[in-house]
Amino acid sequence: EAAVTQSPRSKVAVTGGKVTLSCHQTNNHDYMYWYRQDTGHGLRLIHYSYVADSTEKGDIPDGYKASRPSQENFSLILELASLSQTAVYFCASSKDWGGYTGQLYFGEGSKLTVL
Amino acid sequence: TQTVSQSDAHVTVFEGDSVELRCNYSYGGSIYLSWYIQHHGRGLQFLLKYYSGNPVVQGVNGFEAEFSKSDSSFHLRKASVHWSDSAVYFCAVTEAYQGGRALIFGTGTTVSVSP
């Protein structure tokens, strides 16, 4: 069973603080993604990666950094958290680009509240 | 502007009824389309996808979707819904080349199944 695990599942942060959301996959997938979910917007792509030590910008990268230290791990970093970054964040992995030959596998989500 | 549109924000049906969820897209190039389901508080799970061939694709749990190039649509259907089908359903589009936009999601349709 393909597995993507996220931590923490829930976090409260203060404005201006640093937040790191972690994602670990055991699928042996090359591609990993970070999405943000807001009510009324569906999911929006923040960053993605297709190889360790390399990350790419998605549609809404401003205010976020990403790190892929290994094939299994992909982190999302908010250096200076802001109120507008309150959202649910999802990590996903896939064998190939966009799940072309299969699908994306999603984690359970990380709910971030910035106060 | 490239978009994915799900016109119904919320659909209520009775158990045993059929349901159709609409998805329209606006993309000029080669794409593939997929549907994902999100149960409350969970991550997204893959239902089905279409790239080419038979425009009617079968997915898990009795779901099917039909692609129409002329209508730019990829509607999801189920003949007889079960209470466990209550969830949010997302249509997604992926540009079929690496570096293209990956899984651009619609805003989702919430399905509520009444007994």
Side-chain angles (χ1 to χ4, degrees):
Chain A
E1 177 81 11
V4 178
T5 55
Q6 296 181 227
S7 62
R9 292 293 313 279
S10 180
K11 182 173 180 65
V12 179
V14 296
T15 304
K18 182 177 180 178
V19 175
T20 300
L21 304 179
S22 300
C23 179
H24 178 80
Q25 55 111 347
T26 59
N27 306 325
N28 197 33
H29 287 165
D30 288 331
Y31 290 83
M32 295 187 75
Y33 315 81
W34 275 106
Y35 283 89
R36 167 179 173 154
Q37 185 176 37
D38 299 276
T39 303
H41 284 279
L43 280 78
R44 293 179 289 175
L45 182 63
I46 307 171
H47 285 288
Y48 67 93
S49 168
Y50 54 88
V51 66
D53 296 322
S54 178
T55 63
E56 306 290 336
K57 294 180 179 179
D59 295 326
I60 54 164
D62 293 345
Y64 302 94
K65 291 184 179 179
S67 173
R68 182 93 180 269
S70 64
Q71 187 193 40
E72 298 79 15
N73 296 293
F74 191 37
S75 297
L76 185 68
I77 303 154
L78 290 67
E79 295 279 5
L80 295 170
S82 67
L83 294 174
S84 64
Q85 293 177 312
T86 292
V88 180
Y89 293 86
F90 287 97
C91 177
S93 75
S94 67
K95 177 182 175 183
D96 45 33
W97 177 244
Y100 173 60
T101 61
Q103 59 175 286
L104 264 67
Y105 293 86
F106 283 83
E108 297 280 284
S110 296
K111 183 178 181 180
L112 175 63
T113 303
V114 182
L115 301 175
Chain B
T1 303
Q2 298 168 326
T3 62
V4 179
S5 173
Q6 294 182 247
S7 55
D8 298 315
H10 200 158
V11 172
T12 300
V13 292
F14 289 102
E15 198 165 20
D17 282 354
S18 63
V19 68
E20 179 176 88
L21 308 181
R22 292 181 291 213
C23 173
N24 291 89
Y25 63 90
S26 172
Y27 277 86
S30 181
I31 59 171
Y32 55 95
L33 297 141
S34 51
W35 278 94
Y36 284 76
I37 180 175
Q38 183 183 31
H39 288 102
H40 181 69
R42 306 296 299 277
L44 280 73
Q45 293 179 288
F46 174 80
L47 280 178
L48 47 76
K49 70 170 186 274
Y50 171 82
Y51 179 62
S52 64
N54 188 337
V56 179
V57 290
Q58 304 296 323
V60 297
N61 295 331
F63 286 97
E64 68 173 31
E66 183 166 5
F67 169 74
S68 171
K69 187 173 182 178
S70 61
D71 292 340
S72 297
S73 68
F74 188 54
H75 300 330
L76 180 71
R77 300 189 293 250
K78 186 169 183 178
S80 177
V81 297
H82 184 262
W83 64 267
S84 61
D85 294 324
S86 294
V88 183
Y89 292 78
F90 291 97
C91 179
V93 171
T94 297
E95 292 182 340
Y97 62 94
Q98 183 165 322
R101 303 181 71 198
L103 277 184
I104 310 305
F105 287 89
T107 52
T109 298
T110 300
V111 174
S112 298
V113 181
S114 299

